[in-house]
């Protein structure tokens, strides 16, 4: 079970709500994934087809928690203003905080991110910051009041998986008791399984599911991969070796002279 901000979640798979072929497919995918948390962009939903009561009806029918995000924000002021609107619209203190610093990779602006996190945590928001695997930035975000971190696996929508294994392993090792959710860049269920095998607590997936040929089947595949990865980590994987180690012991084996 995953616990974030005193909320217990059975599912370790969080879903984004953008780029699905239709609201009905989104709804089916969420159910197939067994997801309990769905992210939603205030800007996207206010101007898109699922705006207003239609989107709220869909969310209520699913019975999931909404995690509003500040997608598309490029400054502290913009992110804080969007956060205030999101709290009013969605009636939740939860917030996935994004402050984008580079347009080609959509890499977080870690300076603006930590400043916005400090402001919003002081105002009672429960912040889920979209960040890099940088250890110093992680320390600053935790000091600002964040109780969970969402490091990227790769650039948003790239489908490249876990680009910096060394950095992600270091992050996990340095903060063993902090909930860490891999966000962005996952393209295959195997990427999600790998994240959970490394000890990360959950993954957030959007494009890889929404843009699949069959989003519902892909959502189910990701759910299975997350479950398998978490079970593998709990079971205690063997350490990699440079040399072979025979699986059949030689002690007691008869040899011909």
């Amino acid at each position: 079970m995953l616990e974030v901000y005193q909320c217990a979640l059975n599912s370790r798979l969080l879903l984004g709500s953008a780029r699905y072929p239709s609201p009905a497919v989104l709804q089916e995918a969420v159910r197939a994934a067994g997801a309990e948390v769905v992210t939603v962009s205030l800007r996207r939903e206010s101007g898109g087809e699922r705006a207003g009561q239609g989107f709220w009806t869909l969310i209520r029918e699913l019975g999931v928690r909404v995690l509003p995000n500040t997608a598309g924000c490029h400054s502290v002021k913009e992110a804080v203003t969007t956060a205030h609107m999101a709290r009013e619209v969605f009636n939740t203190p939860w917030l996935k905080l994004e402050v984008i610093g580079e347009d080609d990779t959509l890499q977080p602006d870690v300076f603006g991110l930590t400043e916005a996190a400090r402001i919003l945590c002081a105002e009672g928001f429960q912040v889920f910051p979209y960040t890099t695997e940088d250890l110093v930035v992680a320390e600053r975000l935790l000091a600002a009041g964040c109780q969970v971190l969402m490091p990227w696996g790769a650039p948003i929508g790239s489908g490249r998986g876990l680009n910096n294994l060394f950095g992600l392993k270091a992050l996990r090792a340095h903060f063993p008791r902090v909930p860490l959710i891999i966000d962005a860049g996952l393209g295959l269920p195997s990427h999600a399984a790998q994240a959970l095998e490394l000890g990360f607590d959950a993954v957030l997936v959007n494009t890889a599911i929404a843009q699949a040929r069959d989003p519902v089947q892909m959502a189910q595949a990701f759910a299975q991969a997350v479950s398998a990865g978490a079970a593998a980590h709990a079971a205690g994987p063997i350490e990699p070796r440079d040399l072979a180690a025979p699986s059949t012991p030689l002690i007691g084996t008869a040899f011909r002279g």
Side-chain angles (χ1 to χ4, degrees):
M1 184 173 290
L2 170 63
E3 184 169 320
V4 289
Y5 290 110
Q6 293 75 56
C7 175
L9 301 171
N10 292 308
S11 174
R12 295 177 182 271
L13 175 58
L14 290 67
L15 292 193
S17 61
R19 305 186 70 180
Y20 282 85
S22 70
V25 173
L26 166 62
Q27 203 167 39
E28 288 184 56
V30 172
R31 287 176 175 144
E36 297 173 81
V37 177
V38 173
T39 66
V40 56
S41 167
L42 177 65
R43 292 179 171 190
R44 183 179 300 116
E45 297 310 329
S46 64
E49 295 178 359
R50 298 192 300 274
Q53 292 302 315
F55 183 72
W56 267 118
T57 298
L58 182 149
I59 292 296
R60 282 194 297 267
E61 288 175 355
L62 289 171
V64 297
R65 291 189 68 108
V66 175
L67 177 58
N69 67 40
T70 60
C73 292
H74 287 73
S75 70
V76 173
K77 181 178 180 181
E78 195 177 13
V80 170
T81 300
T82 302
H84 289 157
M85 292 190 293
R87 182 164 61 178
E88 182 175 344
V89 170
F90 297 110
N91 191 32
T92 176
W94 279 21
L95 181 78
K96 181 189 169 190
L97 179 61
E98 297 183 26
V99 182
I100 300 302
E102 206 281 320
D103 287 334
D104 290 332
T105 62
L106 299 180
Q107 180 171 328
D109 170 3
V110 295
F111 305 102
L113 179 69
T114 52
E115 176 62 14
R118 182 188 64 78
I119 294 169
L120 293 169
C121 286
E123 294 180 347
F125 284 88
Q126 296 176 339
V127 176
F128 295 66
Y130 166 59
T131 183
T132 66
E133 65 277 15
D134 188 284
L135 298 178
V136 177
V137 175
E139 288 278 13
R140 299 288 175 86
L141 289 168
L142 295 173
C146 299
Q147 296 180 24
V148 58
L149 301 174
M150 301 185 76
W152 66 346
I156 293 172
S158 67
R160 298 182 60 86
L162 306 181
N163 270 358
N164 184 359
L165 283 176
F166 175 82
L168 290 171
K169 288 179 180 178
L171 186 69
R172 179 70 284 176
H174 275 73
F175 304 102
R177 289 179 292 277
V178 176
L180 300 179
I181 302 172
I182 293 291
D183 177 22
L186 301 186
L188 294 169
S190 57
H191 297 156
Q194 183 182 27
L196 273 292
E197 288 168 1
L198 291 175
F200 285 86
D201 297 282
V203 297
L204 193 157
V205 183
N206 191 165
T207 306
I209 293 176
Q211 296 290 284
R213 185 174 65 251
D214 185 338
V216 177
Q217 186 174 3
M218 187 62 79
Q220 187 175 40
F222 265 94
Q224 292 168 344
V226 166
S227 179
H233 178 72
I238 64 170
E239 291 295 326
R241 302 183 178 95
D242 292 328
L243 300 176
S247 56
T248 302
L250 299 178
I251 298 175
T253 303
F255 288 89
R256 293 181 63 182

